[in-house]
């Protein structure tokens, strides 16, 4: 038993062990270890300083990191060097993400490989493959219940295929992104089985309680995430005990208060890094640390844990980035984003407020968020998306809404009703997800095209799909397309026939690859063809517009509540002026409003010269990307 001590002494002890019977770490690895050690040691001391074996766990962790670094393939070592020479590579205007389910989009990994030419046609530089690990048969939360992090689900392929695919994608200019589902494992993971059986060393891998005493106390302050599946945060084991289970009953939360859990998961993390994954989507980050009397979400220790994982990565696989999935209050979303924690983050606020603006035809909340909540620390970026595989939750800050005279609770109710199609005159065809009978809370499911009005035949539907993407591509960060949305894929209600999916309405927006729509993508007489052509145009213009690189966004104010407007600064005095109108009627921006710019401007999307002295017209649900010159 050895506790953590001071950093200098502990470093010497760690190095002595690494120098033992194993080959010494390579000089560059040693250099990175020296560089990261003080930080890692500090984090470990805060998390596990009181643990009698704290030092042993840290030493084991560094052994794992050193071994992973030694095993890292040559092409990945070369990638590490390229990335450290260009650490902000992901801020380029050429970055474009796509996300899909391996089986639903392409059958298996071989099918994904065959789709590479399509990914290139689209311009992807980043491909997120949804979870592809083995999980429980039947419902496994779309792969988010992982039974083994080192195996690919056999239906989809093998780990060697994934490794080769990562290399092939990289050669095609596409970074592979996969999930690191580290808040929980499935109940069938070897650790879970051993924990339940009480195998020494595994009893404390999860949070298991003999009776309801502590669970009841915790639940006084925790939130219910999947109330349709089970109420509260715990489920009962067959032997009568209770286990922490934030999401589905077969997803058991890991106990990070146990340093052995951290060390074990760091091993899984580095395994995936060495497969050639370039970005790890850090799933459900908010939930990883629990404490009685708190919501057990976004606690300070959650950040310490992520930073410690980040430090481990910097030692063994420095090219790899983290993307935070924190679907929480906007202040809390931001707390996860820094070069020392997660370099990338979903931008759930912009996503939700884009839909909010489309429903209300009022862009003020979105505008306020862009002005107030878009800025990020250097060396980080947003991932901007129109929708994901998950539900849409209305995660705006009530304080922000109140400033505009909007009350949070009824507004969320309105938005749910609107997108579920319960509001008279709504253009949207969505479904409720996890309606909570006690709180009245719910979230929304649906594909972009269905939520935007195409399914219901609303005449603004196609425009809204394009408008939403035009915003996600313009505000700054990596735009992320849910593949299928670019050909206006509609909801698929067939999931209700599948007993394992019927209870989870998110499947309505996770349909199989729409082969007919893709086949029609060059046919302008089809919805798919029109939407595809317009989105492709946006992608091409974006990639050729340096103003869209980085994250800098400068406010621009018009007098129209239905207009979102901002500038993206470019070289010299050029700016990309983005104007978007969520109303169902045309809006004219007058010349005075535009008088801070030179008269001659260029509409980058339409590729035509315009005279700002004549004002700018924005059609109903229309937008413009104008290259202007500030006076
Ligand atoms: C994340 C995933 C979601 C899943 C949950 C539990 O939020 O995006 O699909 O249900 O984590 O893993
Ligand atoms: C909750 C969680 C979020 C997750 C979602 C899945 O909103 O906060 O992390 O993605 O549930 O539906």
């Amino acid at each position: 038993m050895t506790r953590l001590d001071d950093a200098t002494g502990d470093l010497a002890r760690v190095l002595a062990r690494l120098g033992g019977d194993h080959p010494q770490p390579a000089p560059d690895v040693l250099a990175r270890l020296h560089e990261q050690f003080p930080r890692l040691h500090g984090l470990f001391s805060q998390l596990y300083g009181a643990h009698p074996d704290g030092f042993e766990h840290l030493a084991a962790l560094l052994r794992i990191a050193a071994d992973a670094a030694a095993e890292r393939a040559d092409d990945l070592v070369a990638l590490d060097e390229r990335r450290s020479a260009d650490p902000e590579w992901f801020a380029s205007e050429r970055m474009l993400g796509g996300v899909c389910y391996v089986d639903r989009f392409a059958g298996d990994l071989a099918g994904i490989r065959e789709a590479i030419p399509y990914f290139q046609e689209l311009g992807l530089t980043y491909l997120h493959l949804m979870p592809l690990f083995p999980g429980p048969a039947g419902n496994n939360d779309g792969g988010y219940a992982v039974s083994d992090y080192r195996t690919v689900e056999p239906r989809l392929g093998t780990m060697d295929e994934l490794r080769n695919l990562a290399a092939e994608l990289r050669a095609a200019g596409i970074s592979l992104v996969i999930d690191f589902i580290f808040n929980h494992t499935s109940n069938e993971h070897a650790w879970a089985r051993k924990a339940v059986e009480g195998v020494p060393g595994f009893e404390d891998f999860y949070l298991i309680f003999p009776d309801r005493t502590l669970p009841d106390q915790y639940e006084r302050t925790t939130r219910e995430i999947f109330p349709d599946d089970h109420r509260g945060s715990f489920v009962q084991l067959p032997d009568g005990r209770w286990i922490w289970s934030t999401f589905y009953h077969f997803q058991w939360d890991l106990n990070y208060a146990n340093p052995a859990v951290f060390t074990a998961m760091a091993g899984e993390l580095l395994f995936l890094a060495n497969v050639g994954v370039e970005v790890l989507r850090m799933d459900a980050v908010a939930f990883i640390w629990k404490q009685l009397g708190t919501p057990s979400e976004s606690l300070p220790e959650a950040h310490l844990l992520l930073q410690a994982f980040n430090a481990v990565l910097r030692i063994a696989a420095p090219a790899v980035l983290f993307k935070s999935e924190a679907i929480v209050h906007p202040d809390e979303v931001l707390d996860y984003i820094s070069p020392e924690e997660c370099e990338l983050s979903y931008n759930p606020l912009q996503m939700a407020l884009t839909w909010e603006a489309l429903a209300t035809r009022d862009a003020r909340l979105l505008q306020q968020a862009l002005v107030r909540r878009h800025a990020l620390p250097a060396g980080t970026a947003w991932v901007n998306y129109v929708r994901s595989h998950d539900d849409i939750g209305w995660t705006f800050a009530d304080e922000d809404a109140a400033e505009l005279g909007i009350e949070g609770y009824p507004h969320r109710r309105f938005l749910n009703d609107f997108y579920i199609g319960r509001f008279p005159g709504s253009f949207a065809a969505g479904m409720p997800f996890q309606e909570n009978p006690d709180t009245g809370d719910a979230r929304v499911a649906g594909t972009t095209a269905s939520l935007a009005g195409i399914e219901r035949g609303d005449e603004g539907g196609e425009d809204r799909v394009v408008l939403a993407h035009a915003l996600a591509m313009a505000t700054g960060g990596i735009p992320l397309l849910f593949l299928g949305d670019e050909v206006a894929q509609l909801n698929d209600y067939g999931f209700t026939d599948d007993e394992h999916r019927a209870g989870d309405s998110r499947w309505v927006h996770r349909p199989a690859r729409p082969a007919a729509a893709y086949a029609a993508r060059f046919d302008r007489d089809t919805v798919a063809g029109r939407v595809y052509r317009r989105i492709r145009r946006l992608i091409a213009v974006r990639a050729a517009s340096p103003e869209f690189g980085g994250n800098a966004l400068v406010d621009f104010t018009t007098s129209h509540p239905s207009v979102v407007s901002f500038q993206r600064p470019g070289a010299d005095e050029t700016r990309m002026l983005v104007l978007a109108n969520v109303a169902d009627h045309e809006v004219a921006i007058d010349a005075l409003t535009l008088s801070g710019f030179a008269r001659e401007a260029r509409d980058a999307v339409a590729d035509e010269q315009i005279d700002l002295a004549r004002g700018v017209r924005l059609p109903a649900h229309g937008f413009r990307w104008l290259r202007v010159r500030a006076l």
Side-chain angles (χ1 to χ4, degrees):
M1 291 218 296
T2 338
R3 284 180 189 274
L4 288 159
D5 201 341
D6 71 290
T8 319
D10 282 352
L11 176 60
R13 286 196 284 170
V14 163
L15 291 173
R17 288 203 193 180
L18 290 180
D21 47 14
H22 285 73
Q24 275 277 347
D28 54 331
V29 178
L30 260 186
R32 297 199 299 259
L33 193 151
H34 276 275
E35 186 185 295
Q36 296 296 328
F37 189 83
R39 169 161 90 112
L40 185 58
H41 188 270
L43 293 163
F44 238 66
S45 304
Q46 288 181 73
L47 288 160
Y48 305 122
H51 198 281
D53 265 336
F55 174 78
E56 294 303 328
H57 288 285
L58 180 63
L61 176 65
L62 287 163
R63 154 67 59 212
I64 290 171
D67 288 349
E71 283 158 19
R72 195 150 165 85
D74 291 344
D75 58 333
L76 297 177
V77 171
L79 180 73
D80 291 337
E81 284 161 12
R82 280 209 305 285
R83 294 307 192 217
S84 57
D86 180 19
E88 302 220 18
W89 62 278
F90 52 81
S92 161
E93 63 278 9
R94 279 182 294 277
M95 286 299 290
L96 175 70
V99 51
C100 66
Y101 286 88
V102 173
D103 54 348
R104 314 223 98 203
F105 192 78
D108 54 18
L109 289 177
I112 293 288
R113 191 171 163 238
E114 282 162 29
I116 292 177
Y118 174 69
F119 301 147
Q120 290 181 301
E121 171 190 317
L122 195 56
L124 297 190
T125 63
Y126 160 125
L127 179 67
H128 174 197
L129 296 178
M130 295 294 292
L132 33 68
F133 307 100
N139 188 0
N140 50 41
D141 193 18
Y144 281 94
V146 177
S147 300
D148 179 0
Y149 297 92
R150 300 196 183 208
T151 313
V152 168
E153 158 60 40
R155 275 185 308 113
L156 304 178
T158 64
M159 204 38 98
D160 278 334
E161 265 184 285
L162 184 63
R163 201 171 279 117
N164 293 337
L165 177 67
E168 257 185 89
L169 286 168
R170 195 170 323 111
I174 302 171
S175 300
L176 177 63
V177 183
I178 65 169
D179 287 81
F180 189 50
I181 300 151
F182 69 118
N183 172 69
H184 44 266
T185 70
S186 88
N187 57 349
E188 296 179 3
H189 193 286
W191 302 340
R193 296 185 196 266
K194 291 183 193 168
V196 168
E197 287 165 20
V199 174
F202 292 91
E203 315 94 318
D204 292 334
F205 260 54
Y206 301 82
L207 295 135
I208 304 177
F209 301 92
D211 55 41
R212 285 291 311 174
T213 316
L214 276 167
D216 283 340
Q217 289 181 31
Y218 278 110
E219 282 176 1
R220 268 180 225 139
T221 47
T222 57
R223 181 161 77 101
E224 292 182 309
I225 304 301
F226 285 174
D228 289 356
D229 181 68
H230 64 275
R231 304 306 305 266
S233 302
F234 299 81
V235 294
Q236 194 164 25
L237 296 171
D239 63 14
R241 291 180 297 165
W242 294 83
I243 188 160
W244 199 303
S245 188
T246 299
F247 296 92
Y248 274 108
H249 59 276
F250 47 79
Q251 289 164 304
W252 292 351
D253 292 49
L254 287 161
N255 174 23
Y256 280 95
N258 175 0
V261 169
F262 182 88
T263 303
M265 283 308 277
E268 308 309 272
L269 174 77
L270 294 181
F271 176 86
L272 295 172
N274 278 355
V275 168
V277 176
E278 294 189 37
V279 178
L280 286 161
R281 173 192 180 279
M282 304 300 276
D283 185 62
V285 290
F287 299 93
I288 57 179
W289 191 270
K290 281 79 172 157
Q291 195 182 315
L292 207 58
T294 75
S296 293
E297 276 189 58
S298 293
L299 295 178
E301 289 83 354
H303 297 287
L304 304 179
L305 288 166
L306 283 162
Q307 289 165 25
F309 279 129
N310 179 302
V312 171
L313 207 53
R314 299 278 80 78
I315 296 170
V320 178
L321 303 177
F322 284 159
K323 173 174 71 163
S324 155
E325 190 247 348
I327 313 301
V328 290
H329 186 286
D331 290 339
E332 289 176 21
V333 172
L334 203 61
D335 289 340
Y336 292 92
I337 312 173
S338 79
E340 290 76 39
E341 195 165 329
C342 297
E343 297 87 349
L344 307 177
S345 167
Y346 283 101
N347 190 348
L349 182 64
Q350 182 179 317
M351 184 277 292
L353 292 182
T354 299
W355 290 107
E356 188 269 352
L358 290 172
T360 57
R361 280 80 159 174
D362 180 342
R364 289 175 307 151
L365 258 183
L366 176 57
Q367 180 75 21
Q368 182 203 50
L370 288 173
V371 172
R372 184 178 292 180
R373 296 190 179 273
H374 182 76
L376 285 183
T380 67
W382 289 115
V383 172
N384 288 314
Y385 58 117
V386 174
R387 62 96 161 190
S388 72
H389 70 287
D390 278 331
D391 44 287
I392 299 175
W394 309 107
T395 58
F396 59 84
D398 283 11
E399 316 83 89
D400 291 356
E403 283 179 33
L404 298 172
I406 299 166
E407 223 184 303
Y409 185 79
H411 198 54
R412 289 190 181 85
R413 296 243 28 178
F414 159 74
L415 292 167
N416 283 327
D417 286 345
F418 186 92
Y419 280 107
I420 291 160
R422 290 176 188 158
F423 188 81
S426 167
F427 53 72
M431 291 187 74
F433 177 67
Q434 305 289 338
E435 263 186 310
N436 189 323
D438 295 342
T439 59
D441 285 342
R443 284 109 74 186
V444 169
T447 66
T448 298
S450 289
L451 294 178
I454 295 181
E455 184 173 326
R456 289 190 169 220
D458 185 272
E459 59 172 20
E462 290 178 30
D463 287 346
R464 286 191 203 93
V465 170
V466 180
L467 174 68
H469 285 94
L471 286 172
M473 286 190 220
T475 56
I478 304 174
L480 176 59
L481 292 171
F482 196 95
L483 294 177
D485 279 2
E486 76 282 20
V487 290
Q489 180 165 31
L490 297 178
N491 285 346
D492 177 357
Y493 299 95
F495 76 99
T496 53
D497 300 332
D498 178 339
E499 56 165 325
H500 301 301
R501 292 182 172 161
D504 189 330
S505 59
R506 291 175 298 173
W507 288 103
V508 81
H509 60 228
R510 301 168 176 177
R513 179 179 180 276
Y518 278 110
R521 70 187 185 277
F522 298 117
D523 178 354
R524 294 189 195 186
D525 294 331
T526 63
V527 177
R530 286 190 297 272
V531 168
Y532 186 71
R533 186 177 59 86
R534 293 172 71 187
I535 289 185
R536 277 284 300 131
R537 175 75 192 147
L538 293 178
I539 293 170
V541 172
R542 180 177 194 275
S545 304
E547 297 90 341
F548 285 137
N551 198 47
L553 181 150
V554 178
D555 188 16
F556 183 79
T557 311
T558 77
S559 56
H560 300 277
S562 70
V563 172
V564 194
S565 47
F566 54 89
Q567 313 170 55
R568 300 295 315 280
D572 303 323
E573 294 305 312
T574 62
R575 307 258 192 278
M576 193 65 89
L577 175 64
V578 175
L579 300 166
N581 172 26
V582 295
D584 294 331
H585 54 79
E586 186 187 81
V587 162
I589 314 284
D590 62 21
L592 185 62
T593 305
L594 300 163
S595 59
F597 304 114
R599 280 184 65 166
E600 316 75 51
R602 187 149 195 98
D603 183 321
V605 179
D607 199 22
E608 62 191 24
Q609 212 55 33
I610 57 167
D611 179 357
L612 296 184
R614 307 168 89 188
V616 169
R617 290 184 175 282
L618 293 174
H621 4 91
F623 66 93
R624 291 187 188 251
W625 290 352
L626 299 178
R627 182 167 285 114
V628 298
R629 182 169 289 276
L631 289 176

